[in-house]
Amino acid sequence: MVPAEPDVDEWLWVIVGDLPPAYIVMDNAENAEAALEAYVGEMRAWAEAVQLGQPTDELIPVNVEPTPANADLLLGRLQLLDAYLEQEDDS
């Protein structure tokens, strides 16, 4: 498939599951591990902004209300991804 516009990425990573879906462009992640690390970083920035009462307009879009409870739930899931990534680094 060819992108509809010249400035649209041709390839990207899509992250889905028991967490907010997102896409990560290939420029920022050349493999699956890098894509997950980028995802965790972007989602952590969103959750921390929510916890501090800061705006999230310029951050990765997350399909839940920006409440402290949702931020806490997301951070818990991100800890699981962090543990997985650390395990992969050790092998």
Side-chain angles (χ1 to χ4, degrees):
M1 181 174 281
V2 177
E5 303 278 333
D7 60 341
V8 174
D9 294 300
E10 183 176 357
W11 296 98
L12 52 89
W13 293 97
V14 177
I15 315 276
V16 296
D18 187 26
L19 36 81
Y23 69 88
I24 305 295
V25 296
M26 295 290 290
D27 296 348
N28 299 332
E30 62 186 43
N31 59 41
E33 184 175 349
L36 281 176
E37 288 172 355
Y39 175 88
V40 168
E42 294 294 327
M43 290 295 171
R44 181 167 283 119
W46 181 90
E48 290 172 354
V50 169
Q51 288 180 325
L52 295 171
Q54 298 174 341
T56 59
D57 299 346
E58 300 295 319
L59 301 175
I60 194 168
V62 178
N63 62 347
V64 297
E65 289 295 317
T67 65
N70 283 335
D72 290 343
L73 289 172
L74 178 55
L75 287 170
R77 287 175 173 83
L78 295 178
Q79 286 178 342
L80 294 173
L81 285 176
D82 276 335
Y84 170 79
L85 290 167
E86 286 176 18
Q87 181 181 15
E88 287 298 304
D89 286 342
D90 292 340
S91 35

